[in-house]
Amino acid sequence: MMDLDEILGLLQSDLPGLCAKARETALVAKGTHVFVRGLIEFSNICRRNCLYCGLRAQNGSLKRYCLSQNDIIDAASIAVKSGVDSIVLQSGEGACDPAWLAEVVREIVMRFGVAVTLSVGECDRKDYELWRKNGASRYLLKHETADPALYDRLHPGYSLKDRLECLHVLGRLGYETGSGFMTGLPGQTLATLAEDIRLCAKLNVAMAGVGPFISQHNTPLAGNPSGSPDLALAAVATLRLALPHLNLPATTALASVDRDQGQLRGLMAGANVLMPSFTPPQAAEFYSIYDNKNRVGIEQAGAAITAAGRTHSLNI
């Protein structure tokens, strides 16, 4: 495990050189294949009030939705026919009945034979167990920031300690776990980013999503400047060097602050995963975690992979 000084040194190093080294490391550790996860944002209902997120419960101007089971299965069918490697079901926290979601997971696994990742927040152990028994094999729960005080400010009523305990529970239940964090958060320091990278190593996660902070107009952090794409890329590249075998996505947030080149630059900085959206258009516009979201589709993902000189399994 790299020490903090090593990580800080990488974060502050020459970006083109850092990305080139990370890209070489990714090719050795992960090969040329880019994994494509089909993302379905099935509900924007959330019980939390995170200061940066447009899905926060106190955002009364947001039209709420929850897709039907049939709508989710139809979206998954389109994704699988497109050649995605797995399905990611994402929502706000407390968006649905756990048994209802277990039925959806079981149907996707049985019908399509693909891995299912859940990203639905902090839940009871019994719910994690239920979903695991019904076929969910991966779980994404970003820690967001490794600074406990900053975490407390951004997530009223919740703690980093509880967040990390959920990740430990998920690991003990046999999930392949993913975490991650934002770059450029108000109140964040470069030392905090180094701690974020160290925390991913300590958690022994299989995946880590890194994306820049982007403000949302109906949140307390509205008007704050977005995190720079360069800082996000430096964090991605440093993660690749610190944890060579990690699965690292070029995130939608990165593609939103750099709409033309974000995904390609992510792949060229050591990323090996893309997550295009298969959320039905009538719902996607209301999954507004942040403003000006770039709705990355399957064609855009395929073009980025080709431009990066990598391989995929897509039917496009």
Side-chain angles (χ1 to χ4, degrees):
M1 187 183 298
M2 286 186 182
D3 63 34
L4 290 177
D5 287 340
E6 288 179 281
I7 295 171
L8 279 168
L10 289 172
L11 288 171
Q12 297 175 88
S13 64
D14 170 69
L15 184 61
L18 175 65
C19 290
K21 188 174 181 180
R23 183 167 64 253
E24 293 171 4
T25 300
L27 291 174
V28 171
K30 306 299 291 185
T32 62
H33 185 76
V34 174
F35 294 102
V36 182
R37 322 297 196 194
L39 176 64
I40 303 171
E41 299 149 324
F42 68 89
S43 178
N44 67 352
I45 297 168
C46 191
R47 62 189 170 206
R48 293 174 69 130
N49 277 298
C50 304
L51 268 59
Y52 52 81
C53 183
L55 305 192
R56 62 198 318 265
Q58 291 178 1
N59 182 4
S61 66
L62 181 64
K63 180 180 177 181
R64 304 289 174 168
Y65 74 88
C66 185
L67 298 179
S68 69
Q69 290 184 337
N70 286 339
D71 285 340
I72 298 172
I73 299 302
D74 288 345
S77 177
I78 294 170
V80 171
K81 288 176 182 176
S82 297
V84 302
D85 299 289
S86 61
I87 297 295
V88 180
L89 300 180
Q90 186 175 72
S91 72
E93 193 167 289
C96 66
D97 175 67
W100 178 93
L101 183 56
E103 292 175 358
V104 174
V105 171
R106 184 172 64 250
E107 184 68 16
I108 291 174
V109 173
M110 290 181 61
R111 185 178 297 193
F112 305 117
V114 294
V116 172
T117 301
L118 293 179
S119 180
V120 298
E122 294 179 30
C123 304
D124 292 337
R125 181 189 177 99
K126 61 180 176 58
D127 297 331
Y128 292 148
E129 289 178 334
L130 175 65
W131 300 328
R132 185 76 184 94
K133 289 176 181 176
N134 280 273
S137 54
R138 303 168 183 168
Y139 203 100
L140 176 59
L141 186 66
K142 293 182 180 180
H143 67 262
E144 306 295 10
T145 175
D147 181 341
L150 181 57
Y151 187 97
D152 288 351
R153 290 200 299 275
L154 295 174
H155 308 88
Y158 295 86
S159 71
L160 179 60
K161 179 181 177 182
D162 290 342
R163 190 78 160 185
L164 298 182
E165 178 56 29
C166 283
L167 280 165
H168 291 312
V169 168
L170 288 161
R172 289 194 291 268
L173 290 174
Y175 281 94
E176 184 178 304
T177 57
S179 188
F181 51 90
M182 285 181 280
T183 60
L185 272 169
Q188 186 184 67
T189 66
L190 207 58
T192 303
L193 278 182
E195 292 285 4
D196 283 315
I197 292 168
R198 285 268 293 179
L199 181 55
C200 287
K202 291 176 183 176
L203 291 169
N204 195 31
V205 293
M207 174 177 146
V210 179
F213 161 77
I214 306 173
S215 68
Q216 208 277 347
H217 64 281
N218 283 318
T219 68
L221 294 186
N224 280 277
S226 296
S228 75
D230 283 1
L231 182 59
L233 288 167
V236 169
T238 301
L239 261 173
R240 172 59 69 205
L241 295 175
L243 299 166
H245 292 281
L246 203 62
N247 283 324
L248 281 173
T251 60
T252 303
L254 179 58
S256 296
V257 295
D258 185 350
R259 301 184 79 84
D260 294 329
Q261 297 290 320
Q263 290 210 304
L264 173 58
R265 292 182 73 194
L267 293 174
M268 299 300 280
N272 70 312
V273 177
L274 294 183
M275 294 173 62
S277 174
F278 288 86
T279 307
Q282 69 272 19
E285 64 176 301
F286 301 113
Y287 202 82
S288 53
I289 294 178
Y290 48 80
D291 289 339
N292 302 313
K293 186 174 183 178
N294 186 357
R295 296 287 170 187
V296 176
I298 192 71
E299 292 83 7
Q300 189 175 352
I305 296 170
T306 299
R310 309 277 283 280
T311 59
H312 60 73
S313 57
L314 300 177
N315 300 315
I316 53 175

